Each structure stands twice: as C-alpha cells, then as structure tokens.
Amino acid sequence: MLGLQPTVQLSHAAAAAPDAFNTAQHGPGLEIGKDKLSLRYVGDGRHDNDVGSIQGNRAVPTQQLLYYFELTVVDQGELGRIAIGFSDKSFKLTRQPGWESGSYGYHGDDGRKFHHSEKGEEYGPKYSTGDTVGACLHFGRQEVFFTKNGTRLKTAFRNVRPQQMYPTVGLHSKNEQVVVNFGASPFRFDLEGLLADEREQQAAAVQRMSVAATDVHQIVRGYLLFHGYGATLAAFDAAAGAEGIAQPMCEGDEADPMSATLATRQAVRGAIMSGQLVPAMELLRQHCPALLGGSAVADEVQLHMSCQQYIELIREARIMDAMQFAQSVLAGLKPGAARRDSQLKV
C-alpha cells in the first residue's frame, strides 16, 4: 500500500493503491522475484518490440492528491535501457513506457522523457547502477514529474488527463535488475515535505481570498435551506441581521422554490429519520407527486423509499407484513432489476 496514502487521501472510500507488480501480464524476458517487487531482464533486447515492461497490480487511486513510487537500479546490465513511468490499461507491455500514446516515461540510458514517441525529449540526468529514481502523478496539478536520488526534477508533462493509470517499469538489455518500492518502506524522496509545502500553498491561497460578508451569509443559509434545517436557518438569519444582508424570503414565495418547499422537506425528512416511511410517502404523493412516478428520478426515489420501508418492517419484527410488502410492492420493481441490484450492492 502507498505508505503516505492517508495523508493525501481526498475521499473516505479511496481505492487501494498498487503494492506489487501484476505478475499475470508482462512483456518478454522478465524474471520476477517472489516478492513481486524485483525484476531482472534475461531477454535478447535486440528489437523494439521485445521490451520487458510490467505494470502495478492496481490502478493508481485518483481520489488522492498525488501518487508516487520509486525504483532502485541494482544492475544497469549491458546498456542500462531502464524506464520508469505510468501507462494506461491498453498499454503494450512489449514497449517502453512513453513510447505509446497512453504512457509517460523517464529513461535511464539517455535521461530523456517520452510520451507517444520513440525519440523523446531532453529532460534530466541519466541513471544507472545504485541510483534510485521515482515517478509522481500529481492529480491536483495534472502533472507528471520524476526524481533522482531524492532530488525532484522539473515537471516532465503537463495537462495529464485524469484517467486510469498504472505505475510501469520497462527493462530492455541483458542482466538489468531493479527493485521497486510502492511505499512499503520509506522513499528516498521527501514526499512528506512535498505534501507539507502543498498544504501551506493551499492555506496561503485561501487566506488571500476576499469573500464579502453577504456572500458568506448566503453560502451558509443556502446549505441550511437545501438540507431543510428550518429552525437553524431562522436563528442564523436572526443572529446575522447586519445591515445590507438580504433577509430570507417568506416560505411559500414562488420565486424561491427552496423556501417554498422547506416545510414539506422538513416533514418528509423527519418522517424518514424516525422510520415512518408510510407517512413520508404520503407527504410526497400530496406535495411532490412527480417524485413518485413517470421519470428515472422517480424510479430511484420509489426504489430507495420502498427498500427503506421494508427494512423498517423487519426492524419492528413485523415479518409477515414485511413479506406481504415485498410481494406486493418490491416485486413490482423488477424492471431494471440488474441495474438496481448493482446499485444496492454499492
């Protein structure tokens, strides 16, 4: 697992990061260690299509600020044609990262960077036996940069589209040998320092922003209004009665649908939270009939409300009522069952 994932995670449900190579698929001439982290090239390396490339066992998680991994060159072999980078799922594993359109690479034999090109461009220093190089995919900036022996090199690629990418290594001359670190041990590069700098820059940018008091008020009251916190909204508006701040519209004002439906939304929310699904459904039929029939959105509302009603019957130990409800109501929700099953699993 990426050692620093918790500090850069942007989502509570972030996907697992790569922690080994995908040994089921790789280019020719590769010997893969039992640890699934060490590689050795034993092929001929005579042709452009006999590169031994391999990807990580999982795609890079996109729910975090950045992703980083390193490799150490144990032996540069005959020619040192070693490459590190990223590639998409369709990448040909008989090619070096960077040679194909969906890949980015930094090569050790010439220090050049590659993207959809076999010629590449001048970039950084060469690397060989004993060197540690790293590759970083920065989602926040949509950039790729590389490191050598703990030093960050300049940005290699910009405007990198967010997509499913895999950490990738390529070997292409006899006896090349590398070991990869996906984060199980400390990196040579100071990734924590980089993240600290990123946080400071973001905090400074926020501090430089000027937001009018009226805008802050409207942002907060918009949140309270949307979620139906009527009492809190009234208290907030009363406490923030500074001159020049717009007061809330009267409930029922047709020019403001959110205010007009506040009482109904409060009542529906309260009924759902207390497990009273039948009264909640009745309120929706009376005040928002469009939500219960005639559209894809209505189908979703009907599905989730019905499932919740079934759950409440089970909680109340009304087993016979639950079975009757399932037969009379849930059974009628069969159209699109496969899609709904997948939603419920999520």
Side-chain angles (χ1 to χ4, degrees):
M1 184 72 109
L2 177 61
L4 298 174
Q5 185 176 353
T7 64
V8 298
Q9 182 175 315
L10 297 181
S11 168
H12 294 298
D19 59 4
F21 283 121
N22 177 10
T23 57
Q25 295 181 328
H26 56 81
L30 282 184
E31 284 186 354
I32 305 171
K34 293 182 179 180
D35 58 6
K36 299 183 180 181
L37 299 172
S38 54
L39 304 172
R40 182 167 176 263
Y41 187 80
V42 295
D44 290 332
R46 296 179 181 180
H47 308 287
D48 290 345
N49 62 353
D50 61 2
V51 178
S53 284
I54 189 168
Q55 297 177 319
N57 60 350
R58 301 185 186 97
V60 173
T62 57
Q63 301 92 345
Q64 54 190 49
L65 180 63
L66 56 82
Y67 174 82
Y68 179 81
F69 77 106
E70 290 182 341
L71 73 77
T72 296
V73 181
V74 178
D75 191 330
Q76 71 181 56
E78 291 185 355
L79 301 173
R81 296 191 299 201
I82 300 168
I84 183 173
F86 298 96
S87 62
D88 63 17
K89 189 65 175 178
S90 64
F91 175 68
K92 297 177 182 178
L93 297 173
T94 58
R95 306 276 285 167
Q96 286 282 30
W99 285 359
E100 300 292 310
S101 60
S103 65
Y104 303 86
Y106 170 38
H107 294 201
D109 59 329
D110 54 17
R112 298 172 74 84
K113 64 178 182 179
F114 293 77
H115 171 55
H116 198 190
S117 169
E118 293 187 16
K119 295 182 179 180
E121 301 176 44
E122 290 186 6
Y123 175 64
K126 301 177 183 180
Y127 55 90
S128 57
T129 302
D131 289 326
T132 296
V133 291
C136 182
L137 181 53
H138 197 303
F139 295 104
R141 301 181 185 275
Q142 295 188 4
E143 296 176 347
V144 171
F145 70 83
F146 300 95
T147 68
K148 179 183 177 183
N149 295 331
T151 299
R152 177 177 176 172
L153 306 179
K154 60 186 178 181
T155 298
F157 305 102
R158 304 183 188 277
N159 301 316
V160 178
R161 294 181 302 164
Q163 59 181 315
Q164 195 175 56
M165 301 291 282
Y166 294 79
T168 308
V169 172
L171 306 182
H172 199 206
S173 74
K174 284 186 178 180
N175 297 320
E176 290 171 348
Q177 188 173 350
V178 302
V179 176
V180 170
N181 178 12
F182 287 114
S185 57
F187 291 123
R188 183 81 177 269
F189 175 65
D190 184 11
L191 188 58
E192 284 285 11
L194 171 63
L195 293 171
D197 290 342
E198 294 276 354
R199 286 191 288 267
E200 289 181 5
Q201 292 174 18
Q202 292 175 357
V206 171
Q207 292 296 326
R208 289 194 297 269
M209 294 178 63
S210 177
V211 182
T214 52
D215 293 335
V216 174
H217 180 86
Q218 292 304 320
I219 291 171
V220 174
R221 81 175 305 275
Y223 173 85
L224 297 174
L225 182 60
F226 178 82
H227 289 281
Y229 300 122
T232 304
L233 176 61
F236 175 74
D237 279 325
E243 183 178 355
I245 294 181
Q247 296 303 308
M249 289 183 168
C250 296
E251 190 168 313
D253 190 332
E254 294 182 357
D256 185 4
M258 293 298 291
S259 292
T261 59
L262 178 59
T264 299
R265 290 185 291 111
Q266 280 183 298
V268 172
R269 182 174 182 271
I272 293 174
M273 295 298 290
S274 62
Q276 302 298 313
L277 271 295
V278 173
M281 294 284 280
E282 186 58 34
L283 283 169
L284 289 177
R285 288 191 184 94
Q286 291 178 6
H287 300 282
C288 309
L291 284 178
L292 295 179
S295 69
V297 173
D299 289 345
E300 295 302 318
V301 173
Q302 181 76 34
L303 170 67
H304 291 289
M305 293 287 281
S306 298
C307 288
Q308 188 61 41
Q309 186 171 345
Y310 176 77
I311 292 170
E312 295 299 335
L313 290 172
I314 295 295
R315 284 177 176 172
E316 296 171 8
R318 297 166 57 186
I319 306 303
M320 295 304 297
D321 290 340
M323 292 177 61
Q324 183 178 359
F325 180 80
Q327 293 170 352
S328 61
V329 178
L330 294 182
L333 301 176
K334 287 184 178 178
R339 176 176 60 84
R340 285 170 172 163
D341 285 348
S342 65
Q343 290 176 332
L344 292 175
K345 289 178 181 178
V346 174

